[in-house]
Structure formats: C-alpha cells, structure tokens
Amino acid sequence: MSIGIVENLIEQLSKLPGIGRKSAQRLAFFIMAMPDAEARGIADAILALKDKARFCGQCFNICETGICDICSDARRDASKICVVEEPSNLIVIERTRSYRGLYHVLLGSLSPMDGLTPERLKIRELVTRVAHGGTEEVIIATNPNTKGEATAQYIAELLKPFNVAVSRIAYGLPIGGDIEFADEVTLAKSLEGRRTMG
Amino acid sequence: MRQVRLDDAAFMNQRSDALVLKTREYGDADLIVTFFARELGIVNGFAKSARKFRSRFGASLEPLSHVRLTLMGKEGAALPRITQADIIDSFRAIREDLQLLLHVAPLADFMAGMLHEHEPHPRRFDLFLAALRSFEKGAPRELVALAFRVKFLWMTGYAPRTGGCGRCGATFQGSFALFYPTQGTVLCRNCAPEGEAEAVKLGAEAVKLLETVKTRRFDELAVMPVSGEALAGAGRVIDAHVKRHG
Ligand SMILES: [Zn+2]
Ligand SMILES: [Zn+2]
C-alpha cells in the first residue's frame, strides 16, 4: 500500500463542502474497506454526473437533457414558478407533492452583509422568463433567513413592472414544537403570517 | 449534551453582549458566526446545527442581532463553541428592509475593518448599537451613517481635522474649505501645498455638520435639518479620508 494514494484521496475528499481533514480520512479508510464494486460505483457515479448531468436551460434544475423533466412535463402548471436557492430545495418541495407548477433555481442567495453581487445568481434568467409571458404567479421559496429574505425582496422589486403575482412562502412555527420554545423573531413572523380560520 | 468538566480550568465560559456581524455556513447545518462582543471584541464562534429548523438558536444568529452571548472553549481557542445566544434586540426592522440593510452593512464592514480580534472596545460597541437603534427608529439614513463614521473615527483617533487649518490653526472663514486627504486635514490658503489636485471642496454647512455630528447624540441629530448638499460634501470628505487612512 502506498501512502501517497491514500493521502491523495484524503486531499480530494476534503475539497467537498463540510468535509474537514478528519472526515476525509475516515471516508478514505471506509472506502478502502468497501467491496470493489461498491467503491467503483461511487467513482462511476461521480464521473457520470460530470459527463452527463447539466443545468436545465430554463429552470437550472439538474437534468440530463437540455430541459429538465419538470419543465418538459406538459401536465405541470406552467403559469406558476417557484423560486428556490438550490436544486436540493426543489427536491424537498417536490416531495411534498403539493406543488404542481414549475421552478426556477437561483443557484445561491444574495448576501447583503457582503455586498449583493446578484450577477452570481440566475436572477436575470428568471426575469427574462417572466418577461416572455405566460407566468401568473412567482412563489419565492428562498430560505427564511437574512440572505433568503434579501434575495426575495430583490427579486420582488425586479418583477414589479410585470403583471405577475409575487408571493413569499409563509414563515411559521415548526410543527410538533411548543410555542414556549419559539424565539421572538419566529413567533413575530408567524403572527404576521396568520390566516383566518373557517 | 456533551459533558463539561467544570473543574477543568482549561475550559471556560465567556459571556458578553454581542452583535452578530456575519455568518458563514459550515458543513450540513452548522454556522460560523462573527460577533462584535462588547467585552470580547471581534470573536468568531461555532454554532452546531444552527441552520436546522428546530435549532435552539432560532433567529438569534442572524446578522445585526443583539444577543447575550455565551461562548465555551479552551482559553484562546480560535473557534469557541456558541453555547447560548439570547436575543436582546433582533433589529429585524433593519434586516427585513433590504434598502436599509444595504445602507447599514457597509458601516459594519467599515467598523470591523478598524477593529482587531479579541480587543474589547465597549464604547465603540455602544456607539454601533446606538446607531442601529437610530436606524431602526427611522432616523435619516445618510445622516446617521455619516455621524456614525465620524464618531467612530473620532473614538479611534483617526478623525479627519475639519474645524480649522491643521497647520496654522486658522479658523474657518469664507464659503468653503479645502480638505487634503493626504494630510488628513483642512488647510487654509496660506498653508495649502502648491498644486495639490486632490483636495476635496467643503462648503460652510458641511464644515459645520462635521463638527456638529461629533458631539450630538443620534436622536438629537435625527431632528436636525440638514441639506442634502452638506451631507454629500461631508460624506465625500470622510470617504476620501478613510480611503487614505482607513
Ligand atoms: Zn427545468
Ligand atoms: Zn493654515
């Protein structure tokens, strides 16, 4: 066994977000102990992703063709666009099965404390999509934090000239929790977002 | 919960009022947070699982939150763990107004650029807090921003001299003064260096404004009538000065 090979893998793995040297080391030793086929499976999956996967030309979801499955599905409601920060957010919303419209993935969020730099994100592409017509509602589902809120406000402002309804997903208390443990900001936001019953 | 050995002197709790300046995402759900803590200065802390919806930190680690902070770690640790952050003042009125937030963020940057890690500056902390309160109450943004920068420079000893000539002491006369960024001061006609092109012209009202903001409280300034021209002129002087000496 050459230590250089292991060392190289550790170094490669620690390039991944959230993987420090220690975790990378653990993963490398784990892969060492894996059956050949499984380890090859991981390596092949990475290569296949890089060879075949790309961002959808319309919504920037990940797909294997030029246009993703959601965008090309005629049964989806094309009058609605749900704006999310990352492809992983889209997957979570899809899992709820309560949304049948289209998406737009920004590939990040604005960071007002570091200067906005909106050109990093797919915001211009969203505006172009809306400008083409056919959209009635844009639902902004960015994260309920400062970055997500800033991104939402920035987009809402840009979409003002168009005849579309712009909405923001509701802030609420976590299900299963006890109000006693909610912090004042979360509680204030859920009071603001209350709705009438019955 | 991790067991903490209280008899282990190497581990210690540090408590302070603190303002959240920045957050950086780390790993799946953690945050690294930069605070300006009243008793600790600029410090970074590690908040485990802070991005989970049921995190006990809730909204307390959002930028500009004023919190009662508890850090735990070995003495001098680069990244102590944030064990508690209770909101004193969330400043959500600032955070949720993008235009206002974009106005305040550069001030936080300006301030952080002039502070060093682990150097407490309670008066500067109180000043920033007072400015945030003023912004939250809807005080005129440009004026509060200018006053904050001038007061802060004054506290750090880097204030530009605008009250009179920095060389001969001559008091201000006439309709405008000339500020020389390279010298950090206004100079009278007699003392002005020959052919220096980069002097910033400063009208009489702007000169007065730069003096006034040093001594008045934010709430006093908020009700003071100030022309946009004076504000812009005074702002240009501070910009030029900070660019040169900041
Ligand atoms: Zn698509
Ligand atoms: Zn002079």
Side-chain angles (χ1 to χ4, degrees):
Chain A
M1 181 182 91
S2 158
I3 201 72
I5 291 171
V6 180
E7 190 52 43
N8 180 39
L9 179 60
I10 292 170
E11 218 176 288
Q12 299 302 328
L13 288 170
S14 40
K15 288 178 185 165
L16 298 171
I19 305 286
R21 233 200 110 71
K22 258 190 205 153
S23 308
Q25 223 166 45
R26 205 155 21 106
L27 289 172
F29 292 141
F30 186 84
I31 293 168
M32 273 280 298
M34 261 180 159
D36 264 24
E38 274 184 40
R40 255 172 232 292
I42 295 175
D44 289 345
I46 292 175
L47 290 178
L49 180 77
K50 291 318 284 178
D51 284 346
K52 300 199 184 97
R54 64 201 72 197
F55 291 118
C56 168
Q58 177 168 273
C59 75
F60 299 95
N61 182 17
I62 294 166
C63 66
E64 289 176 35
T65 51
I67 295 291
C68 76
D69 291 348
I70 295 175
C71 284
S72 49
D73 185 346
R75 290 163 304 177
R76 309 274 312 202
D77 177 356
S79 73
K80 290 187 175 61
I81 297 177
C82 178
V83 179
V84 295
E85 292 182 15
E86 303 289 347
S88 55
N89 302 151
L90 180 157
I91 294 168
V92 179
I93 295 178
E94 275 301 282
R95 245 191 264 142
T96 67
R97 293 166 194 267
S98 58
Y99 177 70
R100 297 298 299 158
L102 303 181
Y103 290 91
H104 191 88
V105 186
L106 297 171
L107 302 176
S109 59
L110 297 177
S111 178
M113 297 306 282
D114 305 294
L116 282 185
T117 60
E119 62 282 357
R120 283 183 300 118
L121 311 181
K122 302 296 177 190
I123 292 179
R124 201 161 21 99
E125 289 81 352
L126 171 65
V127 177
T128 309
R129 254 179 102 177
V130 172
H132 272 310
T135 307
E136 283 162 26
E137 186 182 6
V138 174
I139 304 158
I140 306 180
T142 49
N143 283 332
N145 55 29
T146 306
K147 288 176 187 169
E149 191 57 39
T151 311
Q153 280 188 34
Y154 185 86
I155 290 172
E157 196 59 41
L158 286 180
L159 293 180
K160 257 186 193 160
F162 304 99
N163 187 26
V164 289
V166 178
S167 54
R168 177 89 172 100
I169 49 163
Y171 285 86
L173 296 167
I175 308 287
D178 189 320
I179 278 189
E180 202 179 310
F181 297 112
D183 69 89
E184 59 180 54
V185 178
T186 307
L187 201 48
K189 289 299 259 183
S190 32
L191 277 167
E192 284 168 14
R194 70 189 183 276
R195 57 194 174 99
T196 43
M197 294 178 69
Chain B
M1 276 278 284
R2 206 167 55 132
Q3 280 290 315
V4 179
R5 281 184 299 150
L6 290 173
D7 57 347
D8 187 344
F11 275 96
M12 52 183 283
N13 274 322
Q14 293 182 296
R15 288 192 182 83
S16 174
D17 271 21
L19 284 158
V20 177
L21 295 184
K22 266 178 200 181
T23 61
R24 192 152 51 84
E25 286 158 21
Y26 185 86
D28 273 345
D30 310 328
L31 272 185
I32 293 172
V33 186
T34 305
F35 298 94
F36 181 24
R38 195 173 190 278
E39 322 299 336
L40 307 169
I42 300 277
V43 281
N44 290 307
F46 183 77
K48 186 90 192 134
S49 302
R51 279 150 57 213
K52 290 193 175 159
F53 273 122
R54 290 198 200 169
S55 152
R56 67 213 156 89
F57 294 113
S60 68
L61 299 177
E62 290 298 314
L64 302 183
S65 298
H66 177 207
V67 298
R68 194 154 289 130
L69 173 69
T70 309
L71 295 173
M72 199 196 65
K74 283 185 180 152
E75 196 171 355
L79 200 60
R81 194 179 270 246
I82 303 166
T83 51
Q84 215 165 336
D86 297 320
I87 296 177
I88 300 169
D89 208 334
S90 81
F91 288 119
R92 54 187 283 255
I94 299 175
R95 214 169 39 236
E96 291 173 9
D97 176 341
L98 181 56
Q99 289 314 316
L100 181 52
L101 184 57
L102 289 175
H103 202 85
V104 175
L107 296 182
D109 246 7
F110 158 80
M111 178 179 72
M114 299 188 69
L115 295 167
H116 298 285
E117 276 189 39
H118 306 295
E119 274 182 27
H121 288 290
R123 283 186 62 220
R124 296 179 203 179
F125 177 90
D126 294 343
L127 179 70
F128 191 51
L129 191 58
L132 291 179
R133 294 214 166 102
S134 197
F135 281 122
E136 188 174 46
K137 277 190 224 141
R141 295 170 186 190
E142 277 78 19
L143 185 56
V144 175
L146 175 76
F148 171 75
R149 293 200 296 163
V150 172
K151 285 167 183 286
F152 195 89
L153 286 168
W154 195 249
M155 275 183 187
T156 54
Y158 284 107
R161 175 158 179 172
T162 52
C165 176
R167 201 158 290 162
C168 72
T171 50
F172 173 74
Q173 279 171 341
S175 60
F176 67 89
L178 288 174
F179 178 79
Y180 292 85
T182 50
Q183 323 280 320
T185 179
V186 158
L187 293 173
C188 75
R189 275 184 189 77
N190 295 330
C191 300
E194 292 259 344
E196 180 156 8
E198 58 162 329
V200 184
K201 203 168 162 180
L202 198 55
E205 196 196 344
V207 172
K208 200 169 140 231
L209 179 63
L210 282 168
E211 290 307 301
T212 314
V213 295
K214 275 183 213 163
T215 51
R216 300 280 178 87
R217 294 198 316 264
F218 287 114
D219 55 344
E220 293 172 323
L221 291 168
V223 294
M224 212 173 68
V226 179
S227 79
E229 201 190 331
L231 259 177
R236 273 197 302 275
V237 163
I238 300 301
D239 284 344
H241 180 72
V242 169
K243 206 171 148 202
R244 188 80 204 178
H245 302 275

